[in-house]
Amino acid sequence: MVIKWRNWAVPVAAPALLAGSCVSTQGAPAEPTGAPSAARSVAGVCARPAAGPAQPPAGAVTVDPAVVGDLATKTRNNPPNTTFWLRPGAHRLPPDRYSQVIPRKGNRYLGAPGAVLDGRRTNQYAFGGSAPDVTIRHLTVQGFVAPHNEGVVNHDSADGWVIEHATIQHNAGAGLMAGARQRVSASCLRGNGQYGMNAYKAAGPVRGLVVEGNEITANNTDDWERKRPGCGCTAGIKFWAVNGADVRGNWVHDNRGAGLWADTNNNDFRFEDNLIEANDGAALIYETSYNAVIRKNTIRRNNWVEGRKHADRGDSFPFATVYVSESGGEPRVRARTDKIEIQWNVLEDNWSGITLWENADRFCNSPANTSSGHCTLLVPRAERCARPSIATAPLYADCRWKTQRVEVHGNRFVLDKSVLKCTVKCDRMAVLANYGTYPDWSPYQGERVAEAITHQQRNRWYDNVYLGPWTFVAHDPSRVLDFGQWQAAPYEQDADSTLDPRAGG
């Protein structure tokens, strides 16, 4: 990632029930057709977890918290497809950092009310191995110390796991990893040292991921962007090379850093009906990825820490709450859409709005490509992107991730600067690039990429409602426009949109 998001403030505790509403403004224009309702309630899963079975299901193996290592031992001694019921109490693994549970195919782990699997800051991992179709329900997993970029539950990214009504909290590293066809629902991912979930699989892309109805809060307690500046290694959830994901109905809040971040060759995402609020950084980053729908989300009070920090430093870049970086629609990559559609969302009192960005110096085989060793989905081998062939078709187009075919429409953008306590740089929408300078053999030097993203790559705003003193940035950071200039030639953005600069609040 070119623009890194660093975080300093400690996340605050969240209430158990929060209404995701848009602040109404008397006499303001009506909401766009198809916008979400003005009041959406999201239950706090962490404060009110669903209780597990008080008695063992028929045929289940009972696990005793008084016996250290009972869960791991009984897992080894029973066949695949066994159901385990963990009694109330604190369950422990043997006091060795590698003594995790290794499930067999189809195993099910059910926690009774009050059942906790506690790593006691000694064990690194809770559940690992490659067995598919494992289920974990109604269980609290806490106190494990996974290393940086590694996870506690499903450590080895096995496929087909179901994580439901679970609480995964106060662990180092990532609370949860992800494999193909994984479903994470109605769970609490809270206070983990790096990520709530790290959707990454070393052996290939994660396919068919569902993340639904979860509370994802207060993650990155170890503040990894401070420890490793520029690492791009934090978020409530981070997605890497996920092909096909539905992220819906989640409450993503008070994370140190971004709320949701898809980074490097993700494709075919749907972010729907989420409440994303009060994250220190962006609500959503979609980076070097393809084909997504972002709709019917309520996004509010995000990016106050990161946006303000960069503004105070005098940085002119439009740090945004929804940040689309080198990502776009690509018909040649199969998905449920061939665009990035940002539609029917409510964005309220965030630090700035939506930025569409390309770094002219970032492309396959460039030293400026921070996704080291990776190339686009159109050119599998990065070494092909070299002179002289990179300067001609098709490599000239296919060797770079392009922000193209992005449509921003039917949204409601509300901004009251008195709420943010800001005067400048918190009020921007943007489509821009830098001027290419590096490396010396780059075919993208000068204004070529800035011209392309602004005028040639089918990026469009239309049918939006703006309440408050919005400004607009096009082509490069120096071109700051008012609404009339944004709508007029040569930019011609936001056709059939409305702006009331007095109505922010």
Side-chain angles (χ1 to χ4, degrees):
M1 170 144 188
V2 177
I3 304 299
K4 294 302 178 184
W5 303 78
R6 303 181 184 90
N7 305 277
W8 303 95
V10 176
V12 299
L17 185 69
L18 198 66
S21 62
C22 175
V23 177
S24 63
T25 303
Q26 187 173 3
E31 289 191 25
T33 302
S37 61
R40 180 191 301 122
S41 294
V42 177
V45 176
C46 295
R48 299 209 300 248
Q55 299 295 327
V61 174
T62 297
V63 182
D64 187 352
V67 179
V68 174
D70 198 36
L71 180 61
T73 299
K74 287 179 175 174
T75 295
R76 285 195 302 270
N77 294 339
N78 280 279
N81 300 303
T82 297
T83 297
F84 299 88
W85 179 73
L86 284 75
R87 290 182 180 274
H91 295 256
R92 295 174 293 164
L93 299 175
D96 177 88
R97 60 179 178 165
Y98 298 123
S99 59
Q100 63 265 27
V101 179
I102 306 296
R104 298 180 187 272
K105 179 180 179 181
N107 280 2
R108 294 171 294 279
Y109 297 89
L110 308 179
V116 176
L117 181 59
D118 193 341
R120 298 167 298 137
R121 313 302 295 178
T122 299
N123 308 112
Q124 288 191 351
Y125 317 118
F127 294 91
S130 59
D133 305 327
V134 172
T135 297
I136 298 172
R137 287 193 176 102
H138 302 292
L139 182 62
T140 294
V141 179
Q142 65 185 33
F144 288 81
V145 286
H148 181 251
N149 287 337
E150 297 187 40
V152 170
V153 175
N154 197 10
H155 169 262
D156 299 292
S157 301
D159 296 338
W161 284 39
V162 174
I163 313 297
E164 189 173 41
H165 299 299
T167 297
I168 303 174
Q169 63 182 8
H170 310 318
N171 302 287
L176 175 64
M177 301 297 284
R181 298 177 287 102
Q182 181 159 300
R183 178 178 291 271
V184 184
S185 62
S187 292
C188 169
L189 308 180
R190 173 172 60 187
N192 295 289
Q194 187 178 5
Y195 304 110
M197 182 171 76
N198 185 17
Y200 171 78
K201 186 178 178 72
V206 174
R207 300 181 185 274
L209 178 64
V210 175
V211 182
E212 182 173 20
N214 305 284
E215 184 175 352
I216 302 151
T217 182
N219 295 290
N220 187 27
T221 59
D222 291 335
D223 199 359
W224 277 100
E225 291 288 353
R226 179 182 58 81
K227 289 183 176 182
R228 299 187 182 181
C231 71
C233 59
T234 58
I237 298 182
K238 190 80 183 272
F239 305 90
W240 309 84
V242 174
N243 190 357
D246 291 285
V247 183
R248 56 183 178 244
N250 302 285
W251 184 17
V252 185
H253 66 98
D254 293 286
N255 293 284
R256 175 181 276 162
L260 302 171
W261 188 348
D263 186 356
T264 309
N265 287 341
N266 297 277
N267 176 51
D268 195 12
F269 269 62
R270 289 190 176 180
F271 299 95
E272 298 181 289
D273 294 310
N274 300 287
L275 174 57
I276 311 176
E277 63 179 345
N279 298 287
D280 284 1
L284 172 62
I285 301 174
Y286 205 66
E287 180 183 359
T288 53
S289 294
Y290 302 87
N291 302 324
V293 174
I294 303 167
R295 65 186 176 194
K296 298 183 181 179
N297 302 287
T298 297
I299 300 172
R300 62 189 191 183
R301 301 195 305 273
N302 296 281
N303 201 28
W304 288 17
V305 174
E306 289 300 315
R308 191 182 313 277
K309 179 179 67 178
H310 289 284
D312 289 347
R313 292 175 177 175
D315 197 324
S316 64
F317 187 85
F319 288 88
T321 287
V322 175
Y323 183 38
V324 179
S325 175
E326 289 107 358
S327 296
E330 176 50 74
R332 291 174 292 174
V333 177
R334 185 174 180 179
R336 291 167 288 182
T337 181
D338 60 3
K339 297 182 286 189
I340 291 181
E341 284 206 76
I342 305 173
Q343 62 184 123
W344 307 335
N345 303 285
V346 173
L347 281 80
E348 177 187 348
D349 290 335
N350 301 284
W351 191 282
S352 288
I354 297 171
T355 288
L356 310 187
W357 159 255
E358 275 192 50
N359 177 359
D361 297 330
R362 184 181 188 181
F363 54 91
C364 300
N365 212 27
S366 167
N369 178 22
T370 53
S371 297
S372 303
H374 293 276
C375 196
T376 69
L377 293 179
L378 303 175
V379 184
R381 290 169 38 230
E383 63 270 18
R384 293 184 58 204
C385 298
R387 59 182 173 186
S389 54
I390 191 174
T392 60
L395 293 180
Y396 179 83
D398 293 350
C399 284
R400 63 178 304 108
W401 294 273
K402 291 189 291 186
T403 302
Q404 64 178 7
R405 300 171 64 88
V406 180
E407 298 191 2
V408 181
H409 63 100
N411 303 286
R412 182 179 178 91
F413 301 106
V414 180
L415 177 64
D416 185 342
K417 288 186 175 181
S418 69
V419 174
L420 278 70
K421 296 181 173 59
C422 79
T423 56
V424 295
K425 298 182 180 178
C426 62
D427 55 359
R428 295 178 289 179
M429 296 279 166
V431 53
L432 78 165
N434 60 337
Y435 291 175
T437 61
Y438 179 78
D440 60 6
W441 53 270
S442 168
Y444 310 110
Q445 295 195 19
E447 299 184 28
R448 294 181 181 185
V449 174
E451 284 291 312
I453 190 175
T454 306
H455 301 298
Q456 300 161 13
Q457 292 178 182
R458 298 174 63 181
N459 297 313
R460 301 174 57 221
W461 276 255
Y462 59 95
D463 290 332
N464 298 298
V465 169
Y466 295 90
L467 305 179
W470 290 94
T471 59
F472 304 85
V473 181
H475 192 273
D476 64 77
S478 70
R479 299 192 188 182
V480 181
L481 314 172
D482 62 28
F483 191 54
Q485 293 169 320
W486 175 249
Q487 287 188 309
Y491 307 108
E492 297 182 332
Q493 293 291 358
D494 264 315
D496 299 316
S497 296
T498 62
L499 170 70
D500 186 346
R502 301 162 298 175

Coordinates of all heavy atoms in Angstrom, one line a residue, residues 307-317 319 424-425 428:
G307 N -6.9 10.7 9.7 CA -7.0 11.9 8.9 C -6.5 13.1 9.5 O -5.8 13.9 8.9
R308 N -6.8 13.3 10.8 CA -6.3 14.5 11.5 C -4.8 14.5 11.6 O -4.1 15.6 11.5 CB -7.0 14.6 12.9 CG -6.7 15.9 13.6 CD -7.4 15.9 15.0 NE -8.7 15.4 15.0 CZ -9.8 16.1 14.7 NH1 -9.7 17.3 14.4 NH2 -11.0 15.5 14.8
K309 N -4.2 13.3 11.9 CA -2.8 13.3 12.0 C -2.1 13.7 10.8 O -1.1 14.6 10.8 CB -2.3 11.8 12.4 CG -0.8 11.7 12.5 CD -0.5 10.2 12.9 CE -0.8 9.3 11.8 NZ -0.4 7.9 12.1
H310 N -2.5 13.3 9.6 CA -1.9 13.7 8.4 C -2.2 15.1 8.0 O -1.3 15.8 7.5 CB -2.3 12.7 7.3 CG -1.8 11.3 7.4 ND1 -0.4 11.0 7.1 CD2 -2.3 10.2 7.8 CE1 -0.2 9.7 7.3 NE2 -1.3 9.2 7.7
A311 N -3.4 15.6 8.3 CA -3.7 17.0 8.1 C -2.8 17.9 8.9 O -2.3 18.9 8.5 CB -5.1 17.3 8.4
D312 N -2.6 17.5 10.2 CA -1.8 18.3 11.1 C -0.3 18.4 10.6 O 0.4 19.3 10.9 CB -1.8 17.8 12.5 CG -3.2 18.0 13.2 OD1 -4.0 18.8 12.7 OD2 -3.4 17.4 14.2
R313 N 0.1 17.3 9.9 CA 1.5 17.3 9.4 C 1.6 18.1 8.1 O 2.7 18.2 7.5 CB 1.9 15.9 9.1 CG 2.1 15.1 10.4 CD 2.4 13.6 10.0 NE 2.7 12.8 11.2 CZ 2.9 11.5 11.2 NH1 2.9 10.9 10.1 NH2 3.2 10.9 12.3
G314 N 0.5 18.6 7.6 CA 0.5 19.4 6.3 C 0.4 18.5 5.1 O 0.6 19.0 4.0
D315 N 0.0 17.3 5.2 CA -0.1 16.4 4.1 C -1.3 16.8 3.2 O -2.4 16.9 3.7 CB -0.2 14.9 4.5 CG 0.1 13.9 3.4 OD1 -0.3 14.2 2.3 OD2 0.6 12.8 3.8
S316 N -1.1 17.0 1.9 CA -2.2 17.4 1.0 C -3.0 16.2 0.5 O -4.0 16.4 -0.2 CB -1.6 18.2 -0.1 OG -0.8 17.4 -0.9
F317 N -2.6 15.0 0.7 CA -3.3 13.8 0.2 C -4.7 13.7 0.8 O -4.8 13.9 2.0 CB -2.5 12.5 0.4 CG -3.1 11.4 -0.3 CD1 -2.8 11.1 -1.6 CD2 -4.0 10.5 0.3 CE1 -3.4 10.0 -2.3 CE2 -4.6 9.4 -0.3 CZ -4.2 9.2 -1.6
F319 N -6.9 11.8 2.4 CA -7.1 10.6 3.2 C -8.5 10.4 3.4 O -9.2 11.2 4.0 CB -6.3 10.6 4.5 CG -4.8 10.5 4.4 CD1 -4.1 11.7 4.2 CD2 -4.2 9.3 4.4 CE1 -2.7 11.6 4.0 CE2 -2.8 9.2 4.2 CZ -2.1 10.3 4.0
V424 N -10.2 22.3 7.8 CA -9.8 22.0 6.5 C -9.4 20.5 6.4 O -9.1 19.8 7.4 CB -8.5 22.8 6.0 CG1 -8.9 24.3 6.0 CG2 -7.4 22.6 7.0
K425 N -9.4 20.0 5.1 CA -8.9 18.7 4.8 C -9.7 17.5 5.3 O -9.3 16.4 5.2 CB -7.4 18.5 5.2 CG -6.5 19.5 4.5 CD -5.0 19.2 4.9 CE -4.1 20.2 4.2 NZ -2.7 20.1 4.6
R428 N -13.3 16.1 1.8 CA -12.9 15.9 0.4 C -13.4 14.6 -0.2 O -13.5 13.5 0.4 CB -11.4 16.0 0.2 CG -10.9 17.4 0.5 CD -9.4 17.5 0.5 NE -8.7 16.7 1.5 CZ -7.4 16.6 1.7 NH1 -6.6 17.2 0.8 NH2 -6.9 16.0 2.7

